[in-house]
Amino acid sequence: MKLYTSIGPNPRLVRLFLAEKQVELPQVQVDILAGENRRPPYLGLNPAGSTPLLVLETGQALAETTAICEYIEELQPTPPLIGTTAEARALTRMWTRRVDLFVVQPMTSGFRGAEGLGLFQDRVHCLPQAADDLKATAREGLAWLDAQMADGRPFIAGQALTLADLMLYSFVEFGALVGQGLDPALQRLGAWHQRMAERPSAKATA
Amino acid sequence: MKLYTSIGPNPRLVRLFLAEKQVELPQVQVDILAGENRRPPYLGLNPAGSTPLLVLETGQALAETTAICEYIEELQPTPPLIGTTAEARALTRMWTRRVDLFVVQPMTSGFRGAEGLGLFQDRVHCLPQAADDLKATAREGLAWLDAQMADGRPFIAGQALTLADLMLYSFVEFGALVGQGLDPALQRLGAWHQRMAERPSAKATA
């Protein structure tokens, strides 16, 4: 297998996932600033033009971060990051989806409509007129997640580290780089973030 | 198990998935027009306030459409709608994600910022100033999917019906109700849509 990776929070999420699994894969760096991912030969592998991309041993190209992480979990089930039972997997997927919908999508879209506009305006349909609202939506999503942690859970989905934590951590780190840092008033998420930052996976992928 | 369902494309997607599986579940109708999903007791089951919601036999509440479908697939693997191998599941998840990102999210957000504003403005952060651009983004996503079908594949992810088709079908049907109908110029998607509409699952959930 071969992982096509680049700068950015989605590639980092896959690298975090691999680091927690202690799986090492050959990596190919894709220069997304130069637009390598938006032209052949990369577009032949992934017509959506996104990174990361995992090329399987069959030669099949697999895009989309969560699909890649699910695949790695199936190949290497320990330590479990999605779950060892149908119910545990379902709850990880629910929380991962909430992180995605409430934080990742508006944060990313807000960035692309503002600080990232120069890079993204010819690549995706950007929404500069909604950038402030999108960033506010991401802040509201983070506050909602913080409130869910009022039950004392150490991780987003409960008692165990899952894909939901790795996704949120990667995007909170990204947000901090692009003017969408975590509000210090969100104390539970702040403490969670500090614990996540201390993990070897965070340091190995920084 | 018990399925909390309502009007709307996400609940319909779960019902389509169940119909293809020939699984019947007790259903509870949630009146989202009256806001039942945005207040207790429903919010106690799903603090995100979304429908559908599956309450498992353990009493655990499971929200988020794709998480629910994955759970049903694990309980009832035949006919497979996500896949019978790690690679097949990965590709279904990739295409489902593309349908979600390129069509479902912008279509839904465009609706909420325009025709759906009255219903949604006090429920989620709406983007009326970006509604036209969001609808255009969904149209571009549909055109992209149509282009991917130039290889003659009968279904979104290839040779077999998957979750990606059911998701897209449910949202194309929704789009047609809210001024975001499928462009007749997209002939491959048009033919696909006609085949999907003829399935017993489509008729049983109409």
Side-chain angles (χ1 to χ4, degrees), chain A residues 46 74 89 98 125 133, chain B residues 46 74 89 98 125 133:
Chain A
N46 181 8
E74 293 206 40
R89 285 188 286 276
R98 287 169 167 172
H125 202 127
D133 269 310
Chain B
N46 181 8
E74 293 206 39
R89 285 187 285 276
R98 286 169 168 173
H125 202 127
D133 270 309

Side-chain angles (χ1 to χ4, degrees), chain A residues 46-47 58 60 63-64 70 74 87 89 93-94 97-98 100 105 125 127 129 133 137 140 148, chain B residues 46-47 58 60 63-64 74 87 89 93-94 97-98 100 105 125 129 133 137 140 144 148:
Chain A
N46 181 8
T58 57
Q60 175 67 53
E64 299 307 331
E70 291 264 7
E74 293 206 40
E87 181 168 333
R89 285 188 286 276
R93 289 169 183 142
M94 173 177 79
R97 179 66 174 166
R98 287 169 167 172
D100 176 45
Q105 295 308 321
H125 202 127
L127 306 171
Q129 74 276 41
D133 269 310
T137 306
E140 291 156 10
Q148 304 308 308
Chain B
N46 181 8
T58 57
Q60 175 67 53
E64 299 307 329
E74 293 206 39
E87 182 167 331
R89 285 187 285 276
R93 289 170 183 142
M94 173 177 79
R97 178 66 174 166
R98 286 169 168 173
D100 176 45
Q105 295 309 320
H125 202 127
Q129 74 275 42
D133 270 309
T137 305
E140 291 155 11
W144 185 87
Q148 303 308 309

Side-chain angles (χ1 to χ4, degrees), chain B residues 63-111:
Chain B
E64 299 307 329
T65 302
T66 48
I68 292 171
C69 291
E70 290 265 7
Y71 184 78
I72 294 165
E73 177 93 355
E74 293 206 39
L75 292 201
Q76 176 58 266
T78 53
L81 295 173
I82 296 178
T84 58
T85 65
E87 182 167 331
R89 285 187 285 276
L91 293 177
T92 297
R93 289 170 183 142
M94 173 177 79
W95 283 104
T96 302
R97 178 66 174 166
R98 286 169 168 173
V99 169
D100 176 45
L101 272 182
F102 302 162
V103 179
V104 170
Q105 295 309 320
M107 176 188 280
T108 309
S109 192
F111 166 71

Side-chain angles (χ1 to χ4, degrees), chain A residues 18-103:
Chain A
L18 289 168
E20 290 286 345
K21 294 282 188 186
Q22 299 192 285
V23 168
E24 291 193 18
L25 290 179
Q27 297 189 4
V28 180
Q29 294 294 326
V30 181
D31 187 350
I32 62 171
L33 294 179
E36 254 188 76
N37 55 319
R38 298 284 168 179
R39 56 176 185 253
Y42 189 84
L43 273 187
L45 287 170
N46 181 8
S50 58
T51 56
L53 179 81
L54 184 66
V55 176
L56 310 186
E57 284 176 9
T58 57
Q60 175 67 53
L62 177 62
E64 299 307 331
T65 302
T66 46
I68 292 171
C69 290
E70 291 264 7
Y71 184 77
I72 295 165
E73 176 93 355
E74 293 206 40
L75 292 200
Q76 176 59 265
T78 54
L81 295 173
I82 295 178
T84 58
T85 66
E87 181 168 333
R89 285 188 286 276
L91 293 177
T92 297
R93 289 169 183 142
M94 173 177 79
W95 283 104
T96 301
R97 179 66 174 166
R98 287 169 167 172
V99 168
D100 176 45
L101 273 182
F102 302 162
V103 179

